[in-house]
Amino acid sequence: MNSQPVRSFGLRFNDWFEKYMFIVIPVSLILGFLFCPVLSAGVDLVPYLFAYLTFVMALGCSARQIRDALRRPLAMAMTFALAHVAAPLAAYGAGALLFGADSPYTIGLVLFAAIPLGVSSVIWIGLSGGNVSFALAMIVLDSIVSPFVVPFIVDLFFGAHIEFDVVSIMSDLAVIVVIPTILGVTVNALTRGRAKPWSAPVALPTSKLAFLGVVMINSAAIAPHVIAMKRNMAALLPVVVALVALCYAMGWFGALPFRGRPMKATFAYCTAVRNISLGLVIALKYFEPAAAVPVVMSILIQQPMATLQHSLLKRLATASKGMSLRS
């Protein structure tokens, strides 16, 4: 049997998903709300879906790419500082001012800023002419340290106010993020980089389906709580929009010390696009459902704003090219 049509369909589906991701993800979120009674029964599947998604992401990262990223300590430090110091401080400040320091909405805002960088940033960085290798290595490294970073940030801001199991969070992050990441990088090394192109026609589209499964199941799980809190949505939405926009703005600031368009495009997304599906998993398991609401809302905002960012980068590149031609 000729497998070429199947391989071709898998790659076409993956390309289609990445092109229309900014529409597909919000639609999946809405479907989770609509089919809440059915989908909420699949909550136990979420860690396995997420682990698979992480493994496929890591298949595309080699040890050499990680070494190359480590040779750019200033760029690494800037990314971590903006993503996991400046952004959480801004999230906590806004949440505490508007909702109170102990509010679950404040916890959700800080959790959004604390979670690792999102793999979907690689798609936008590639489309915008950025440094894909550096971004992918940063995502892998950020995922590996997430069992320490996420609990530390949450405990730093809320340790005296809320009770949560730090050790349990760390062990869960190790199982659903760190181990699949290390396995993916190891398989890449053992196969000398051939594993990803060989598995891509199946692994890439199925990982996208796993991602949609995580989004739909988690949105179904919190749907009743979102409906019950609908009066607060009008106040929360502008805060989430402002926080996501600020994270993108921080990317532009972080790019200032670096020359060349590739790093500008890389920072523009690296510091803003987060692993929101992981944020949902953590919020629903360890905090009250209201803490997941800002994370859910950021799903609706993050990808459309990434589209606007891409349009802005294209316009700037066109303007820069026109100026160089005139000179």
Side-chain angles (χ1 to χ4, degrees):
M1 181 179 176
N2 187 1
S3 62
Q4 188 61 34
V6 176
R7 294 177 63 85
S8 178
F9 173 78
L11 294 175
R12 287 201 311 271
F13 173 82
N14 185 71
D15 292 342
W16 175 87
F17 183 96
E18 292 182 354
K19 182 178 180 181
Y20 295 103
M21 183 168 54
F22 69 99
I23 297 175
V24 174
I25 294 174
V27 168
S28 301
L29 187 67
I30 294 168
L31 289 174
F33 275 79
L34 293 176
F35 296 98
C36 167
V38 177
L39 291 172
S40 57
V43 169
D44 291 340
L45 295 174
V46 168
Y48 302 101
L49 294 172
F50 194 86
Y52 175 67
L53 173 65
T54 306
F55 171 75
V56 173
M57 176 273 296
L59 276 179
C61 187
S62 66
R64 179 179 178 181
Q65 288 173 322
I66 294 177
R67 286 196 301 270
D68 290 342
L70 292 172
R71 292 192 183 106
R72 308 190 71 160
L74 178 59
M76 286 182 59
M78 181 68 78
T79 304
F80 280 122
L82 292 174
H84 298 310
V85 179
L89 282 170
Y92 180 78
L97 179 65
L98 296 171
F99 307 111
D102 300 336
S103 168
Y105 294 144
T106 304
I107 296 171
L109 291 169
V110 172
L111 190 58
F112 165 77
I115 53 180
L117 310 179
V119 68
S120 62
S121 65
V122 174
I123 299 168
W124 293 107
I125 289 167
L127 291 173
S128 303
N131 190 330
V132 172
S133 295
F134 175 81
L136 192 56
M138 281 301 305
I139 292 166
V140 169
L141 291 169
D142 200 32
S143 298
I144 289 174
V145 301
S146 62
F148 306 99
V149 173
V150 175
F152 174 77
I153 292 175
V154 174
D155 186 60
L156 180 66
F157 288 110
F158 307 106
H161 307 289
I162 61 174
E163 293 184 6
F164 68 102
D165 192 339
V166 174
V167 175
S168 184
I169 291 179
M170 292 178 70
S171 61
D172 277 355
L173 284 169
V175 171
I176 67 176
V177 178
V178 178
I179 293 175
T181 298
I182 293 173
L183 285 174
V185 174
T186 302
V187 171
N188 180 294
L190 292 175
T191 61
R192 298 181 181 179
R194 291 191 291 267
K196 183 172 183 178
W198 175 79
S199 64
V202 174
L204 290 180
T206 53
S207 69
K208 298 301 190 299
L209 293 175
F211 177 52
L212 294 183
V214 170
V215 171
M216 286 193 289
I217 292 171
N218 280 329
S219 65
I222 70 163
H225 307 284
V226 172
I227 293 170
M229 303 168 199
K230 61 184 178 181
R231 286 183 298 178
N232 297 327
M233 294 300 100
L236 185 58
L237 180 60
V239 181
V240 177
V241 172
L243 179 59
V244 175
L246 178 63
C247 289
Y248 278 104
M250 286 178 181
W252 287 90
F253 170 79
L256 292 178
F258 306 96
R259 295 181 179 179
R261 183 166 174 260
M263 288 308 292
K264 291 187 187 322
T266 302
F267 269 93
Y269 288 106
C270 253
T271 58
V273 179
R274 303 305 178 91
N275 198 333
I276 292 178
S277 51
L278 176 61
L280 278 172
V281 173
I282 297 172
L284 287 172
K285 185 165 185 179
Y286 293 101
F287 305 101
E288 57 182 287
V293 176
V295 183
V296 169
M297 295 177 77
S298 64
I299 294 176
L300 294 169
I301 298 161
Q302 182 173 266
Q303 294 302 328
M305 200 167 286
T307 306
L308 295 175
Q309 178 94 315
H310 177 61
S311 176
L312 179 60
L313 285 167
K314 281 180 66 177
R315 289 184 180 182
L316 290 175
T318 302
S320 178
K321 188 180 294 185
M323 288 177 64
S324 63
L325 288 173
R326 284 194 295 272
S327 63

